[in-house]
Amino acid sequence: DAIRALSNLPEGRALDDVLPYLLEAIESPADGKRRGGVYYTPSDVASFVVENVLAGWDGDNAPRCLDPSCGTGVFLRALLDDLVTRYGQDPLAACEKLLHGIDLSGTAILSSALVLLSRCIAISGAEPSGASLLRIKQNLRVADATLIQPPDAAPTAWPFTHCPKGFDVIAG
């Protein structure tokens, strides 16, 4: 599947652009994806959704964002791009403070962290580091988003204790 994904890429696409799709192809076999509820979102669709969701944000500061089913990070990556462009956020700081994701798969969570780190490097030219990956991964949780209680329900049921008021924007 990964080889097929690579062979179908338009010429000139950077690894940063294709990483979410490569990781998705590696994570789960194609035949089990649909049965397991895994759906691929093209990056242009994710960017369109994020642009329109963030256009509706009327807060003074950059919003805290959640992708409740982050997979390999296509929506998180689109959110990162928009936060950097629209609010002038430092990419790594945005990942550490503003971007959050939930997924049932631990592999998907790690994939999302790698995709975000790759995008931070592509945007800022920063040197990759394991510490940066761990800081990004702190905001990504293995959980079932359909079972999570709101922040005011019970402290132990809310996986983002550093966001006691929840999120400003949900996209994904």
Side-chain angles (χ1 to χ4, degrees), residues 96 129-136:
E96 293 175 9
S129 76
S132 296
L133 181 65
L134 291 175
R135 288 195 310 271
I136 290 170

Side-chain angles (χ1 to χ4, degrees), residues 69-151:
S69 184
C70 64
T72 57
V74 175
F75 278 95
L76 290 172
R77 184 173 172 258
L79 284 162
L80 175 61
D81 285 345
D82 208 291
L83 290 171
V84 168
T85 302
R86 191 181 302 252
Y87 298 99
Q89 292 289 310
D90 171 75
L92 189 55
C95 288
E96 293 175 9
K97 297 176 182 168
L98 301 172
L99 296 178
H100 302 77
I102 299 171
D103 202 277
L104 292 170
S105 165
T107 303
I109 292 296
L110 181 55
S111 295
S112 288
L114 288 168
V115 164
L116 289 172
L117 178 60
S118 172
R119 191 65 185 147
C120 288
I121 293 166
I123 293 170
S124 68
E127 288 292 318
S129 76
S132 296
L133 181 65
L134 291 175
R135 288 195 310 271
I136 290 170
K137 195 172 175 281
Q138 288 181 98
N139 289 343
L140 306 173
R141 301 285 195 272
V142 176
D144 185 341
T146 64
L147 301 177
I148 292 175
Q149 299 295 315

Side-chain angles (χ1 to χ4, degrees), residues 5 13 17-26 40-43 72 74:
R13 296 285 301 262
D17 291 333
V18 300
L19 188 57
Y21 311 108
L22 290 175
L23 293 169
E24 181 181 321
I26 292 167
Y40 159 78
T41 304
S43 61
T72 57
V74 175

